[in-house]
Amino acid sequence: MTLLSEILEYNQYFTEEKLYEDFSTSKFPDKKMVILTCMDTRLIELLHKAMNIKNGDAKVVKNAGAILTHPFGSIMRSLLIAVYELKADEVCVIGHHDCGMSALDSRQMISDMKERGIPQETLDIVTNSGIDLNKWLEGFDSVEESVAHSVNMIRNHPLLVKDVPVHGLVIDPETGKLDLVVDGYKNTK
Ligand SMILES: [Zn+2]
C-alpha cells in the first residue's frame, strides 16, 4: 500500500465516522493571533499543546526554520492577510532548538542535488539568472538571532500597522518549553 492510498483510506473512515465534528470552528482565529513557525515534525502537535492552542485558535504559517527571508515573499503576504483579513491582532515568530536550518550547509545541499541528478548546467542557469544559491540555501548560526531578525523585518514592514505586537520565541522540541526572545508589547506604539 502506498502512503497516498493509506491516507485516502483513512480519510474515508474519518469522514464516514464524522470524526471531523471534534474540530468544527471558523476561519477566524479565536485567540486573534498568527504564528510563524518551523515545519519540524516534532512541532506538529507539541507546539500547539505547549501553547494551549486548539483548532481554530490561531493562523499558522510554516516554513523551514521559521525564517522570513523576503519582505515581499509569500510568508510576509500570509502574515499580512492574517492581520488585515482574518482578524489576527498579534504575530508570534517561534523558532526552535536543534532546527535543521541551524545545521544547513548550502554547499552540501547543492552537492546532494547533483548526486540526485540535477545537472551542473541547470545550477549554472539558475545562478546566471541572478539567484545566489549559497545564500538562498544557507541556514542560521543562532536560532535566537534568526528569530529576532525575522521579528524586526515583520515589525518594520511598511505595510504592517505599528500597533500589532510582534513577539519572538524559541521552543524546545522535546519539552515544549518556550523562551522569550522578543516581547512584542514593548515595541508597539
Ligand atoms: Zn526547524
Side-chain angles (χ1 to χ4, degrees):
M1 191 182 265
T2 64
L3 177 62
L4 182 60
S5 55
E6 217 174 88
I7 289 170
L8 292 174
E9 188 177 296
Y10 178 79
N11 182 253
Q12 193 177 351
Y13 160 78
F14 183 88
T15 49
E16 277 170 8
E17 296 298 316
K18 299 191 177 172
L19 299 183
Y20 53 82
E21 286 177 350
D22 291 347
F23 303 97
S24 175
T25 181
S26 81
K27 66 178 177 179
F28 298 108
D30 293 335
K31 291 197 174 171
K32 296 188 180 298
M33 69 193 303
V34 54
I35 296 168
L36 166 60
T37 190
C38 181
M39 65 184 191
D40 194 286
T41 48
R42 293 166 293 182
L43 301 183
I44 293 175
E45 289 187 73
L46 179 73
L47 179 99
H48 300 166
K49 301 267 194 224
M51 295 178 74
N52 194 25
I53 286 172
K54 291 182 283 301
N55 209 38
D57 278 348
K59 305 309 267 190
V60 182
V61 182
K62 291 191 171 195
N63 72 2
I67 305 172
L68 188 73
T69 46
H70 198 289
F72 289 94
S74 65
I75 297 288
M76 192 62 219
R77 182 175 56 189
S78 301
L79 298 177
L80 291 171
I81 290 168
V83 167
Y84 287 107
E85 302 304 316
L86 298 164
K87 302 178 183 171
D89 293 336
E90 307 198 17
V91 181
C92 278
V93 179
I94 308 178
H96 67 99
H97 298 296
D98 190 35
C99 184
M101 287 302 279
S102 65
L104 190 71
D105 176 350
S106 56
R107 281 170 182 80
Q108 179 63 47
M109 187 156 158
I110 290 166
S111 118
D112 291 343
M113 287 172 175
K114 284 191 206 166
E115 211 166 282
R116 293 280 293 271
I118 303 292
Q120 181 62 46
E121 193 193 356
T122 303
L123 294 168
D124 291 342
I125 291 169
V126 172
T127 304
N128 291 336
S129 72
I131 307 287
D132 182 343
L133 276 178
N134 280 311
K135 192 158 185 290
W136 189 54
L137 296 172
E138 84 182 355
F140 50 72
D141 293 328
S142 153
V143 65
E144 288 85 1
E145 276 173 27
S146 172
V147 164
H149 183 254
S150 295
V151 166
N152 261 332
M153 275 180 81
I154 297 166
R155 202 160 53 85
N156 295 317
H157 197 279
L159 299 182
L160 185 72
V161 278
K162 299 298 170 213
D163 61 357
V164 172
V166 185
H167 311 292
L169 300 117
V170 174
I171 191 167
D172 184 314
E174 281 177 23
T175 66
K177 183 179 187 300
L178 286 167
D179 288 319
L180 187 63
V181 177
V182 180
D183 178 344
Y185 299 128
K186 291 187 176 161
N187 301 319
T188 44
K189 286 164 193 158

